[in-house]
Amino acid sequence: MFEAITLAPEVRAALEAAPSVIVPKTRDELYELALGPDGGPTFEVTYDVAGGRVCEATVTRCRNGMAVNYLEDYMRRRDPRCMVIADDRPTDKTRWASRFHGSFAPVRQETLEWLATQPLVVVPFKAGGPVYGSPSIAIIPANAAFFALALVDLQGWVTFEEVGEFTPRAILYVAPPFRHTHFDGKQVVVHDRSESLHEVFAYNLYPGPSAKKGVFSVLLDIGEQEGWITAHASSVRVTTPYDNDTVIMHEGASGGGKSEMCQDMKREDDGRILLGTNVVTDEPYFITLSEASQLFPVTDDMTLCYPSIQSGDGRMVVADAEAGWFVRVDNLKQYGENVDLERAIIHPSRKLVFFSIEGVPDATALPWEHIMDSTGTPCPNPRVVIPRTELPGVLTEPEPVDVRTFGVRMPACTRDNPTYGIMGMTHFVPPSIAWLWRLIAPRGDKNPSIGESADAVARLEHGGMVAEGVGSYWPFSTGTKVAAANLLLDQILAYPRTRYVLTPNQHIGAYNVGFSAEWLTREWLARKGGGRMRADQLEPARCALFGYSPREMTLDGQPVRRTLLRPEMQSWVGENAYDAGCAILSGFFRSELAQFLTPDLSPLGREIIEVCLADGSVEEYEALTRMYL
């Protein structure tokens, strides 16, 4: 079977030397393999380390899937410091030589030699999904077959026979014990790139930084070479009660509301929508919406902006880069909070893979039963890998984007405690400002997906910000920031029939809004026919980085309070606190943007950043890039 695949001699030698190599013919076969040699009900994934056995994870057979649980809290979420670059190609990321000294080549050889001693499972996959993806393979210890199962559920099931003769564009190797023998117990994922092959060495069993984001890195690498982007975004077609369609693509740092953009808005028991609650007075603010628009998700997290699917009409066409979604369910606390998702999880057409969910042998795994961390609190990052086909209304064809929204987690801002949480409910921005927000991609507090570094925790706890970086996909990129910035600006300029909108979550000034502001913005944009506006319906925001505020917003005949559109008008905020927050935000942007001013930055990009560094007006930004209304 491997004769049809072009492999390096040392990789082929490792496969030939292994005690056994299993190539599952069906997903069911791989599923049974993942349950262990006895088929369950529980199975420990263990390895020899320094003469002893270390258990990395347990696998529990449940009625609706398998529950995989890691023994260490640290292994239950992605370590943002795990990426290391082993090659000599351009990068701004940590290189192997600077972190571990010397060359990666000896450790690469050790990895292959260790794999040669293990029973293996080898699976093909297409990085980027079954339709547009690049043929690749994964080489994984057979006792970690759950990892292979999660990978193929995310990328889509294919067989070697279906792919035919090929040269892998990416190879993913998994060697869990190296975490202990070489890396002091830390998650490390090494990327070794050439022009035609991207190797990913995963030295841990949490799939987040490898089977999920490692593949994202491969796509970004391919796109950088070919001049296109895989965006860190969700997208959804919104169909109003009057049968008008609007496609919204939502970007933002982790916790910015990408998953929520594809979710129905939450209602109170009486059907009203809680837009916000004043954090000082506890006063709730409700909106009544008799009928909401229908949602048809297009993408969840990795959004392909592939050249061959573009239509040339001035709007960017997007498709999903994945066949399955790595859904975080920390927001599910009890039955009935997201009925469609709960139904898909509890009664799937095929058995699923759960992470950090309590698993009782042969019982149903429930998405609100999160495993407890050692602190006695629920794990903040419980996940389930769920095929797109299990979710109602998910679209399978590429869709053209009308509006690109960008979400930001905002803290509360009051006159007694000024912060940068001053973004109004909806802001329209010129493409130049939209580009700046994507360059910075600020991440707010209480982000559940990753483990923050100590310095980041300190900044966030004291009302500061952390930049997730270019396009918010920078944590997964293996290249350089300036190259990514140029590519992102080129993309924005290439699709002039696109509206750009900012929307906050968690807080608007003194109001705790959760994701209601995002949901109602989505509804309003769709009812406005893709966010169509007249110039006289907008006014400059007090902070230039927010572009323009709508003069009014009406839903089902109800005007949204102007204080949520212009937070400086809130009695508990005021202009002084707002201006202090604007100074925090502007100062953060200036400090982060200076690094892009290199000779490699495009001339227009330099002009845009210089406007920001000079505290320019929104009119100056719009003079550089016209805003499509």
Side-chain angles (χ1 to χ4, degrees), residues 262-311:
C262 296
Q263 295 175 4
D264 288 317
M265 63 182 74
K266 292 186 178 179
R267 295 178 181 266
E268 302 296 296
D269 291 340
D270 60 5
R272 293 182 299 171
I273 297 163
L274 178 62
L275 176 48
T277 302
N278 190 296
V279 299
V280 180
T281 65
D282 262 353
E283 171 212 2
Y285 174 34
F286 295 99
I287 285 282
T288 301
L289 198 62
S290 58
E291 186 179 4
S293 296
Q294 289 181 286
L295 303 179
F296 300 92
V298 182
T299 68
D300 169 68
D301 179 67
M302 292 161 53
T303 299
L304 278 176
C305 312
Y306 202 60
S308 68
I309 62 176
Q310 301 309 315
S311 64

Side-chain angles (χ1 to χ4, degrees), residues 79 81-84 94-101 183 186-188:
D79 185 335
R81 300 164 296 279
C82 66
M83 177 182 282
V84 182
T94 301
R95 292 191 184 272
W96 174 274
S98 63
R99 180 170 173 181
F100 299 111
H101 310 292
F183 305 119
K186 300 299 183 184
Q187 297 178 31
V188 171

